[in-house]
Amino acid sequence: MPDTPLHAQTAAALSALLDAKKISATELARALLERTRAVEPRVRALNSLDETAVLQQAAASDARRAANAPLSPLDGIPVALKDIIAARDQPLTASSKILANYVSPYDATVTRKLRDAGAVLWGRCNMDEFAMGSSTENSATQTTLNPYDLARVSGGSSGGSAAAVAAGEAPLSLGSDTGGSIRQPAAFCNTVGLKPTYGLVSRHGLAAFASSLDQIGPFARTVADAALLLNTIAGHDGHDSTSLNRPHPDYPAALNDNLPPQKIGIPKEYFGEGLDPEVAAAVEAVAKFYETRGHALREISLPHTKFALSVYYILSTAECSSNLARYDGIRYTSRSPRATDAVDLYAKTRAEGFGPEVKRRVILGTYVLSSGFHDAYYLRAQKVRTLIRNDFINAFKDVDVILTPTSPTPAFKLGEKSANPLAMYLSDIYTIGVNLAGLPALSIPAGFTKSGLPIGAQLIGRPLQEAPLLQTAHAYDLAHHHGLTPPNL
């Protein structure tokens, strides 16, 4: 057995141990179950965990490996799922009362791909209700705490997915990113979080928030592990009309030391008012690292950045208003027992089932789509979205990668922004533009504040250029290993 505890090892290291038969998948599963029981009461990353199913999957993996027939490098490796991604015969609550008793009858495409790879589906990760939030404080089940400071938030909306990896409950997890919901919690929890190009990973089986923005992506401790998981879930899917029908490269194979000289863009709009000085210093240190390695830094401008937040909260709420209309108490959701007729059932079910943030966004989205306001808000926002995308396209004519902070601050304290939705929304100011433009981006651990809070740096790439983006991030990750610094739990 290795000296480092199994819960603190990377997925790649665990895969090597399984290949060498130094551990079994069952031993790994039991070790992680023990770790989860020890830290989960404090971290609260999971909404549910089916231990029986976990051990059955691990035993099946051991049988395959005994026959020298592993399905992939992920065979036997636990992967936790955000509780908005469907897994057959498992709860899918989206951390909402309205889906409190729902059990999925089918697998999401990413879930099926994980099963086909032999991965062990680990647990259902807590989140902001229907992915609407930046702290998991909007969850109807519990608030996930930051493993590096239990008085602070884990980020959101995929806070449970980030915290599960950071706390050593699972080596890998999946989240969804609509406006930064993978990258921001990754920054808060000292993990790697990747939002792929829109359409690279199927959204089939992801409970929709904003369909033109949502994307599933990985959390991991290292860039190499994130590449391994992306390799498994990427690819075309006929069940998703927005899925891109083109082959993808072997992402782990792209990670090597032969990174050609890069032109790295530093957008001046991302380094202004509201940026925490320690975050700014950490990102500047990342830039300096690349410069000392022979890469060129260039100041660039993304002039329509100032409109991104407004555009996002018009378009995303409009889409959520439409998508969430299906939760009506008629078909598969919880149903109000106080209703007297069909209209009353619809109204009371939604009033009782949705939390305050979801209601706020549904009302706003319905307003901007309403007669008389559609052109003034929704149509205009779509036009400005095009301008934001064009800013990135023009920038990538001169640079290969864009470097920014992931979040303007480290993780904030529990309740610090709960009473001020606008302050909460500003947590995603540096991540939203990427979703509007459909680009790939990832947050990498970039060090810690003086008080020990993680800081994340964001790297943004051209569409479908995840391989060079990962290679660029991997160069920094290899030299620093910030993501391998565990929390003191």
Side-chain angles (χ1 to χ4, degrees), residues 143-213:
T143 296
T144 298
L145 308 181
N146 192 310
Y148 288 85
D149 184 341
L150 296 174
R152 295 178 183 267
V153 302
S154 60
S157 64
S158 307
S161 298
V165 172
E169 298 184 38
L172 298 169
S173 68
L174 289 182
S176 65
D177 192 311
T178 308
S181 287
I182 289 175
R183 289 158 289 152
Q184 185 251 30
F188 281 9
C189 292
N190 198 42
T191 65
V192 175
L194 170 65
K195 181 259 171 205
T197 302
Y198 183 79
L200 179 66
V201 176
S202 172
R203 293 182 297 109
H204 174 66
L206 174 73
F209 163 17
S211 301
S212 76
L213 301 165

Side-chain angles (χ1 to χ4, degrees), residues 74-424:
L74 287 184
D75 202 332
I77 302 295
V79 182
L81 300 179
K82 186 176 181 178
D83 202 1
I84 199 170
I85 299 170
R88 187 182 64 252
D89 299 328
Q90 294 292 320
L92 193 165
T93 73
S95 289
S96 177
K97 291 179 181 178
I98 209 163
L99 286 175
N101 300 314
Y102 181 71
V103 175
S104 177
Y106 72 102
D107 279 337
T109 296
V110 293
T111 308
R112 176 185 55 77
K113 288 187 171 188
L114 289 173
R115 290 192 199 274
D116 291 346
V120 174
L121 302 183
W122 189 248
R124 311 291 301 168
C125 296
N126 189 34
M127 54 183 282
D128 287 293
E129 184 180 7
F130 282 103
M132 298 180 198
S134 303
S135 65
T136 77
E137 291 171 297
N138 293 331
S139 170
T141 59
Q142 58 188 341
T143 296
T144 298
L145 308 181
N146 192 310
Y148 288 85
D149 184 341
L150 296 174
R152 295 178 183 267
V153 302
S154 60
S157 64
S158 307
S161 298
V165 172
E169 298 184 38
L172 298 169
S173 68
L174 289 182
S176 65
D177 192 311
T178 308
S181 287
I182 289 175
R183 289 158 289 152
Q184 185 251 30
F188 281 9
C189 292
N190 198 42
T191 65
V192 175
L194 170 65
K195 181 259 171 205
T197 302
Y198 183 79
L200 179 66
V201 176
S202 172
R203 293 182 297 109
H204 174 66
L206 174 73
F209 163 17
S211 301
S212 76
L213 301 165
D214 297 341
Q215 190 67 167
I216 296 172
F219 287 91
R221 293 192 186 94
T222 66
V223 173
D225 279 3
L228 188 65
L229 185 49
L230 180 65
N231 221 41
T232 302
I233 63 173
H236 179 251
D237 176 27
H239 294 295
D240 178 0
S241 62
T242 62
S243 177
L244 297 172
N245 189 7
R246 61 183 70 188
H248 66 82
D250 185 330
Y251 297 114
L255 304 183
N256 54 59
D257 295 329
N258 299 319
L259 179 64
Q262 300 288 295
K263 290 174 286 185
I264 299 174
I266 312 293
K268 61 183 181 181
E269 291 83 3
Y270 284 53
F271 289 85
E273 184 180 354
L275 179 60
D276 183 278
E278 288 189 274
V279 174
V283 177
E284 289 165 5
V286 175
K288 188 67 176 176
F289 163 81
Y290 285 115
E291 188 174 41
T292 58
R293 292 293 183 95
H295 307 291
L297 303 181
R298 295 189 178 180
E299 183 180 78
I300 61 171
S301 178
L302 301 171
H304 293 94
T305 293
K306 60 185 177 182
F307 302 117
L309 201 66
S310 299
V311 169
Y312 173 82
Y313 279 100
I314 291 173
L315 299 182
S316 66
T317 57
E319 293 182 24
C320 101
S321 172
S322 175
N323 279 323
L324 269 63
R326 72 194 68 178
Y327 303 106
D328 53 14
I330 304 296
R331 288 161 288 191
Y332 52 81
T333 62
S334 300
R335 179 177 298 185
S336 173
R338 302 187 301 110
T340 57
D341 56 40
V343 174
D344 198 41
L345 171 66
Y346 189 85
K348 283 190 169 66
T349 293
R350 291 167 66 81
E352 296 166 12
F354 289 147
E357 183 61 28
V358 173
K359 291 176 186 175
R360 182 182 294 118
R361 298 197 194 194
V362 168
I363 291 169
L364 178 58
T366 303
Y367 175 78
V368 302
L369 289 175
S370 61
S371 177
F373 297 102
H374 177 277
D375 289 357
Y377 292 103
Y378 183 77
L379 182 61
R380 184 172 295 181
Q382 289 285 26
K383 292 178 179 179
V384 179
R385 179 182 190 170
T386 299
L387 297 178
I388 292 169
R389 177 174 172 80
N390 288 342
D391 283 350
F392 283 102
I393 291 173
N394 290 331
F396 281 121
K397 292 177 182 177
D398 298 319
V399 300
D400 301 303
V401 175
I402 296 171
L403 171 65
T404 79
T406 305
S407 175
T409 68
F412 44 88
K413 291 182 179 179
L414 293 164
E416 183 178 328
K417 300 185 179 183
S418 300
N420 188 344
L422 291 178
M424 186 75 78

